[in-house]
Amino acid sequence: MIDFFNVKTVEEARTALLSALVNAGSGSFSGALPKMSVDLLSASGRVLSIDVVSPEDVPPYPRSTVDGYAVAARDTHGSTESLPAMLSIVEDIPMGAMPSRRLSSGQASRIPTGGMLPEGADACVMVEHTDLMDGTTVLVQKPAAAGENVVQQGEDVRCGQTVLRAGRVLTPFDLGALAALGFTSVPVVERPTVAVISTGDEIVAPGERVLPGQVRDINTYSLASALESTGARPLVLGIAKDTYISLRDLVEKGLSCADAVVVSGGSSVGARDVAVKVFEDLGPPGVVVHGVAVKPGKPVILGVCRGKPVFGLPGHPVSALVALDLFVRYAMNALTAATAGGQDVLLQLSAAQETWVTARLGRNLSSAPGREDHVRVRLVSKDGTLIAEPVLGKSGLISTMVRSDGEVVVPQESEGLIEGSVVRVRLPRF
Amino acid sequence: MIDFFNVKTVEEARTALLSALVNAGSGSFSGALPKMSVDLLSASGRVLSIDVVSPEDVPPYPRSTVDGYAVAARDTHGSTESLPAMLSIVEDIPMGAMPSRRLSSGQASRIPTGGMLPEGADACVMVEHTDLMDGTTVLVQKPAAAGENVVQQGEDVRCGQTVLRAGRVLTPFDLGALAALGFTSVPVVERPTVAVISTGDEIVAPGERVLPGQVRDINTYSLASALESTGARPLVLGIAKDTYISLRDLVEKGLSCADAVVVSGGSSVGARDVAVKVFEDLGPPGVVVHGVAVKPGKPVILGVCRGKPVFGLPGHPVSALVALDLFVRYAMNALTAATAGGQDVLLQLSAAQETWVTARLGRNLSSAPGREDHVRVRLVSKDGTLIAEPVLGKSGLISTMVRSDGEVVVPQESEGLIEGSVVRVRLPRF
């Protein structure tokens, strides 16, 4: 068993967990996820599992960027308002169809924005710089350079160009790009399934009668919905008693049908010992990290059982959510990234899921050096300045949960932050 | 018909749309949404439709915050390590059950973290500040103040206290709080349904064969998934031709089965005229705003038809997404907020959906005064500083879409921003 007081930093703990997962998989990630194909309309937020290479030039032909006339640039050279170039109109190019006429010298065709340039044309003139002499002749009052007001074939994307890399979290912009390239479905990484277990002899489900001394299960609900927002699929397994056999049964069930197992609680030392014992017995390696230099979240347990990551989170609901955000999200991103094609996309994934705002601290915050403090804050706007007010209090169970908007992280080397200093507030992505 | 050049600011345009919706509803919001009840595990991100009042005190009884001994504080007064208070242990209070023994003077009970205090006790002593003399006697080496290491009944939340207000976008923290109060389901506002229509004679669906002069439908996919991420339910109606009858058919279909209608494209002036005519004929009031002082997005049309908001977005995919974010999201939030219980929750909703990061501008940006410019940027980290690099280019259709991380807003009164200045970058919530 690992010394509880031999705590690791957040970074060390993450690295230790990933190393253990790689070792369990004999050099590559153990438990990498399946790949699947989803309809384009359901793909937002999913993780791309292949590099997307354009199968064609975009645009596939030269297009006009204006409403006006397609011309040969040389036919307009030297033209002015007083001495316009006189061109005969040979066609009205419709939207959505090919031009039917090739331009010869001295000719022009009417073209709408997005219209396809006819052969013989290399520029477009805006309708505002022309005058219609009669139905068949247009006066061009300004010279056009070759390529002016035209998007060339392949100028946006060349055939064979990589447009999106594996591991990308798909946005509506990306889906638009995929539609433009003719994709109707898209290969993605399957979402990881995470089993959720609450523990504690005193815990009862919210719908049940609460006897004196008992409390309702909070963590199943807060952790499951936080997991959902990280892109994982929560699998609720219920409440284990603080006994070895009760917890082991549920953890084994989780390992058999999910990609990871999250256990939260109980609040007593005895309950924590039970979780450690269960994880150890389901190893090797079992427990990998026991205790991290972070507050709240210090008593967190990270492990690998039967090749899958397991997490023992604190029983306190806010602490459990902080620990989930720091470690479970990280590990699920790593698994997803490994499935998509390697470690290099891991950073993009993590960065995409951390959002910070800048604010001024509303009061002094002290912190023990050697420990990373996550302090829940409420954001308040005062005279146009965003103030981060720490939400504190020993009793802050529900009240801390519902009154805060994000957290200020006091770095490990800091002894605290003073009132009025500029701080970055991390917003929960969930 | 409204003068296209008589453009409004973003704020004016939003206000005009909301006023028209209120007028259409005879003083209250027209088309307010239904309310419904959802299971707690599915409620993340949903909008609460009632004020949640606590039905009980939390905690419902005084609880210990430490592992140790429940005592009467007065029994420990004056105790030190050399002169400890000697108390007889009368009980081992189990987790999840009521204490069976009342403490008399000189007595203590063992208590776990979270355990219920017995009658006669008003404080808890940490096990670290005690010494066990024998199985039945404990030495307390430090005086406890009344209330020390105890969370009093109702200290977190009082019975009858309002815990969450109607209009709140529920987070995992909130769901934890609701579970703690015994809720297994939660009343929320139904998500608005938004019909999505692409227009253009040149537009074909991504799965179809593209003939010369045609382009694939991008906006149905990018707009539908952006709508999904704003909390709305997109209803894809397909592609309308640039004719009055074709567009009117689809808009009427949308009005009959959705809470709002979004039309995008076409890129030509003629197509825009068709949308204006359809909206006008389905009024009054029909078109409310035509043209907004914002780039991209200027040619946007906002209207109210048959009591429901309708939107004519630009055909350019990036412009359409910017306009959707500025106006459709805003209007859907307003409808949702009005349903939940009034205007006052609107700000919370909007604020929750705007996230900004601070960066330094990577190059000069010029802007016409009188117009709010939204410039797509890519975020790059250089020597620890976040740089916002504008992503420009006339041809930037797909490339602009997939290469940018957010946008810098150049305010209406500004003539531009210089390289190196500190800018706020708005991240898309979708």
Side-chain angles (χ1 to χ4, degrees):
Chain A
M1 188 154 128
I2 291 160
D3 177 5
F4 178 59
F5 295 100
N6 181 18
V7 294
K8 288 186 158 59
T9 66
V10 170
E11 234 11 88
E12 287 167 355
R14 288 175 169 176
T15 305
L17 178 62
L18 293 202
S19 301
L21 278 169
V22 170
N23 288 340
S26 318
S28 69
F29 261 92
S30 164
L33 306 163
K35 299 180 181 185
M36 62 184 297
S37 182
V38 292
D39 185 84
L40 209 51
L41 282 169
S42 319
S44 192
R46 300 299 298 265
V47 176
L48 193 62
S49 67
I50 58 159
D51 287 347
V52 171
V53 172
S54 179
E56 60 195 45
D57 283 338
V58 179
Y61 46 81
R63 296 181 79 188
S64 175
T65 61
V66 296
D67 287 332
Y69 293 87
V71 299
R74 65 175 177 283
D75 283 351
T76 67
H77 286 174
S79 64
T80 62
E81 270 189 60
S82 55
L83 199 67
M86 195 183 299
L87 304 177
S88 41
I89 303 169
V90 297
E91 187 185 6
D92 227 340
I93 300 169
M95 276 308 280
M98 269 184 91
S100 60
R101 299 283 301 270
R102 189 189 195 293
L103 294 193
S104 302
S105 179
Q107 294 183 333
S109 289
R110 268 200 207 87
I111 193 164
T113 303
M116 178 176 178
L117 255 69
E119 283 190 69
D122 62 359
C124 291
V125 180
M126 289 175 77
V127 70
E128 291 86 339
H129 298 141
T130 64
D131 207 5
L132 205 56
M133 201 163 87
D134 55 48
T136 59
T137 310
V138 62
L139 302 175
V140 175
Q141 298 157 338
K142 210 183 148 194
E148 193 169 332
N149 297 324
V150 173
V151 182
Q152 303 295 348
Q153 176 176 341
E155 188 177 331
D156 193 6
V157 179
R158 286 247 160 246
C159 180
Q161 186 181 324
T162 299
V163 178
L164 295 168
R165 297 225 169 258
R168 186 171 176 102
V169 181
L170 294 167
T171 68
F173 292 98
D174 300 337
L175 300 184
L178 288 167
L181 297 175
F183 287 81
T184 54
S185 65
V186 52
V188 297
V189 180
E190 179 61 284
R191 300 167 65 192
T193 303
V194 180
V196 179
I197 300 167
S198 282
T199 68
D201 290 339
E202 77 281 22
I203 307 289
V204 295
E208 288 172 27
R209 193 167 156 231
V210 182
L211 300 174
Q214 298 182 324
V215 292
R216 297 197 184 91
D217 181 16
I218 295 179
N219 287 340
T220 287
Y221 300 87
S222 54
L223 296 179
S225 64
L227 281 167
E228 186 99 45
S229 75
T230 69
R233 289 185 301 189
L235 180 69
V236 171
L237 293 189
I239 302 164
K241 293 284 170 198
D242 282 332
T243 62
Y244 179 86
I245 197 69
S246 171
L247 183 60
R248 181 169 170 142
D249 273 0
L250 282 188
V251 172
E252 286 198 289
K253 189 172 169 195
L255 289 170
S256 72
C257 57
D259 300 300
V261 176
V262 168
V263 175
S264 73
S267 47
S268 69
V269 173
R272 213 147 50 212
D273 292 345
V274 168
V276 168
K277 182 85 172 76
V278 168
F279 289 177
E280 285 293 9
D281 288 356
L282 293 171
V287 174
V288 174
V289 174
H290 189 173
V292 179
V294 59
K295 180 191 170 187
K298 183 179 167 182
V300 75
I301 304 164
L302 311 179
V304 175
C305 297
R306 299 186 181 162
K308 294 176 178 177
V310 295
F311 304 85
L313 307 186
H316 189 279
V318 176
S319 308
L321 278 170
V322 169
L324 178 133
D325 200 34
L326 285 174
F327 301 110
V328 184
R329 179 198 292 277
Y330 181 85
M332 292 306 98
N333 280 355
L335 277 186
T336 304
T339 308
Q343 283 285 66
D344 54 325
V345 290
L346 181 58
L347 273 177
Q348 188 233 329
L349 275 168
S350 301
Q353 287 170 331
E354 299 211 342
T355 314
W356 304 77
V357 296
T358 302
R360 284 190 185 276
L361 194 58
R363 45 157 286 178
N364 292 336
L365 274 183
S366 63
S367 168
R371 187 183 69 193
E372 183 176 298
D373 274 17
H374 292 243
V375 181
R376 309 276 323 147
V377 297
R378 183 176 173 75
L379 291 169
V380 186
S381 185
K382 277 187 192 159
D383 307 327
T385 305
L386 207 57
I387 308 287
E389 301 276 11
V391 178
L392 304 167
K394 63 174 173 175
S395 60
L397 187 61
I398 294 175
S399 34
T400 310
M401 288 203 287
V402 300
R403 282 193 209 129
S404 58
D405 300 306
E407 63 181 25
V408 168
V409 178
V410 186
Q412 191 162 347
E413 62 280 10
S414 166
E415 291 183 27
L417 298 170
I418 61 165
E419 182 181 334
S421 58
V422 174
V423 291
R424 292 170 74 215
V425 178
R426 194 160 77 116
L427 304 181
R429 284 285 291 196
F430 43 75
Chain B
M1 187 154 129
I2 291 159
D3 178 6
F4 178 59
F5 295 100
N6 180 17
V7 293
K8 288 186 158 59
T9 66
V10 170
E11 234 12 86
E12 286 166 356
R14 288 174 169 177
T15 306
L17 179 63
L18 293 203
S19 301
L21 277 170
V22 170
N23 288 340
S26 320
S28 70
F29 261 93
S30 164
L33 306 163
K35 298 179 181 186
M36 62 185 296
S37 182
V38 293
D39 185 83
L40 208 52
L41 281 168
S42 318
S44 192
R46 300 300 297 264
V47 176
L48 192 63
S49 66
I50 57 158
D51 287 346
V52 171
V53 172
S54 179
E56 60 195 48
D57 283 337
V58 178
Y61 46 83
R63 297 181 79 190
S64 175
T65 62
V66 296
D67 288 330
Y69 293 86
V71 298
R74 66 176 177 282
D75 283 351
T76 68
H77 287 174
S79 64
T80 64
E81 269 188 61
S82 54
L83 199 68
M86 194 183 303
L87 304 176
S88 38
I89 303 168
V90 297
E91 188 185 6
D92 227 341
I93 300 169
M95 277 306 280
M98 268 183 92
S100 61
R101 298 283 301 271
R102 188 188 197 292
L103 294 193
S104 303
S105 179
Q107 294 183 332
S109 289
R110 268 200 209 89
I111 194 165
T113 302
M116 178 176 179
L117 254 67
E119 284 189 67
D122 61 0
C124 291
V125 180
M126 288 175 78
V127 70
E128 291 86 338
H129 298 140
T130 63
D131 206 5
L132 206 57
M133 203 165 85
D134 54 47
T136 58
T137 311
V138 62
L139 301 177
V140 175
Q141 298 156 337
K142 210 183 147 191
E148 194 168 333
N149 297 323
V150 173
V151 182
Q152 302 296 348
Q153 176 177 341
E155 187 177 331
D156 194 5
V157 179
R158 286 248 161 245
C159 180
Q161 186 182 324
T162 299
V163 178
L164 295 168
R165 296 224 169 258
R168 184 168 177 103
V169 180
L170 293 167
T171 68
F173 291 99
D174 300 338
L175 300 184
L178 289 166
L181 297 174
F183 288 81
T184 54
S185 65
V186 51
V188 298
V189 179
E190 179 62 285
R191 300 167 64 193
T193 303
V194 181
V196 179
I197 301 167
S198 282
T199 67
D201 290 340
E202 78 280 22
I203 307 289
V204 295
E208 287 172 28
R209 190 164 159 234
V210 182
L211 300 174
Q214 299 182 324
V215 292
R216 296 195 184 92
D217 181 17
I218 295 178
N219 288 340
T220 286
Y221 301 87
S222 54
L223 296 179
S225 64
L227 281 167
E228 186 99 44
S229 74
T230 69
R233 288 185 302 188
L235 179 69
V236 172
L237 293 189
I239 302 164
K241 292 285 171 199
D242 284 330
T243 61
Y244 179 85
I245 196 69
S246 171
L247 183 59
R248 181 170 170 139
D249 272 0
L250 282 189
V251 172
E252 285 197 291
K253 189 172 169 195
L255 289 170
S256 71
C257 57
D259 300 300
V261 177
V262 168
V263 175
S264 74
S267 47
S268 69
V269 174
R272 212 146 49 213
D273 292 345
V274 168
V276 168
K277 182 87 173 73
V278 169
F279 289 176
E280 285 292 10
D281 288 356
L282 293 171
V287 173
V288 174
V289 174
H290 190 174
V292 179
V294 59
K295 179 190 171 190
K298 182 179 168 179
V300 75
I301 305 165
L302 310 179
V304 175
C305 297
R306 300 186 179 161
K308 294 176 178 178
V310 295
F311 304 86
L313 306 187
H316 189 280
V318 175
S319 308
L321 277 171
V322 169
L324 178 131
D325 200 33
L326 284 174
F327 301 109
V328 184
R329 179 197 293 277
Y330 182 85
M332 292 306 99
N333 280 354
L335 277 187
T336 304
T339 308
Q343 283 283 65
D344 54 326
V345 290
L346 181 59
L347 274 178
Q348 188 232 331
L349 275 167
S350 302
Q353 287 169 330
E354 298 211 344
T355 314
W356 304 77
V357 296
T358 302
R360 284 190 184 276
L361 195 59
R363 44 158 286 177
N364 292 337
L365 274 183
S366 63
S367 169
R371 187 182 70 193
E372 182 175 301
D373 273 18
H374 292 243
V375 181
R376 309 275 322 147
V377 297
R378 184 178 173 75
L379 290 170
V380 186
S381 183
K382 276 187 192 160
D383 308 326
T385 304
L386 207 57
I387 308 288
E389 302 277 10
V391 177
L392 304 166
K394 64 173 173 174
S395 59
L397 187 62
I398 293 177
S399 34
T400 309
M401 288 204 286
V402 300
R403 281 192 209 130
S404 58
D405 301 306
E407 62 181 26
V408 168
V409 178
V410 186
Q412 191 162 350
E413 63 280 7
S414 167
E415 291 184 26
L417 298 170
I418 62 165
E419 182 181 333
S421 58
V422 174
V423 291
R424 292 170 75 215
V425 178
R426 195 160 76 118
L427 304 181
R429 282 286 291 197
F430 44 74

